Amino acid sequence: MFLFRRSQPRVSVDQAHDRTSGETPDAVLLDVREKSEWNAGHAPGAVHVPLSKLVAGANLPAEASDRSLVVICRSGHRSQQAAKLLTERGRQAVDVKGGMNAWAAAGHPVLDERGNSGRIA
């Protein structure tokens, strides 16, 4: 018998975009990067809670409280940790392969804190 480590579900940036945008998104895009990274550039409509705050026990904002979560960071490492943590807390969460780097490379929009064209920091 072989033992496999069960990993958290992951989605592509295109799947993440499809699930979290449009008129009736079925999930919330949760960005777990730090504030300076978020301010430099994030996905439109994303909700921001840094991983450090999630680890410390912070609650999710109201717009994410009863929804499925698609978790994103810069490259995919922190989002994997956050998705695992949220799943352990009973939430339905997946993380985005490649993070915001892959999001921007795929041509999906990135906005800065003022709503202008942003960059991934």
Side-chain angles (χ1 to χ4, degrees):
M1 172 162 69
F2 294 99
L3 297 175
F4 295 99
R5 276 183 70 191
R6 186 173 172 198
S7 62
Q8 290 298 115
R10 304 191 87 192
V11 297
S12 70
V13 291
D14 291 332
Q15 291 169 317
H17 183 267
D18 291 346
R19 288 193 61 195
T20 62
S21 61
E23 289 185 33
T24 55
D26 74 350
V28 170
L29 188 63
L30 178 66
D31 192 320
V32 296
R33 296 175 299 146
E34 294 302 317
K35 186 173 182 169
S36 61
E37 295 172 289
W38 165 267
N39 288 345
H42 58 271
V47 173
H48 181 233
V49 180
L51 176 60
S52 58
K53 292 190 184 228
L54 285 176
V55 169
N59 291 323
L60 294 172
E63 57 267 69
S65 63
D66 292 327
R67 309 270 312 275
S68 294
L69 302 168
V70 175
V71 187
I72 197 164
C73 65
R74 184 178 61 228
S75 64
H77 182 71
R78 287 175 283 178
S79 60
Q80 281 183 301
Q81 294 175 334
K84 182 177 189 273
L85 176 70
L86 291 163
T87 299
E88 289 170 353
R89 292 180 182 169
R91 300 302 309 270
Q92 187 174 27
V94 298
D95 86 283
V96 180
K97 292 183 272 188
M100 285 300 296
N101 287 331
W103 179 277
H108 297 302
V110 176
L111 302 175
D112 70 10
E113 64 185 313
R114 294 186 177 103
N116 299 317
S117 181
R119 62 180 177 77
I120 307 308

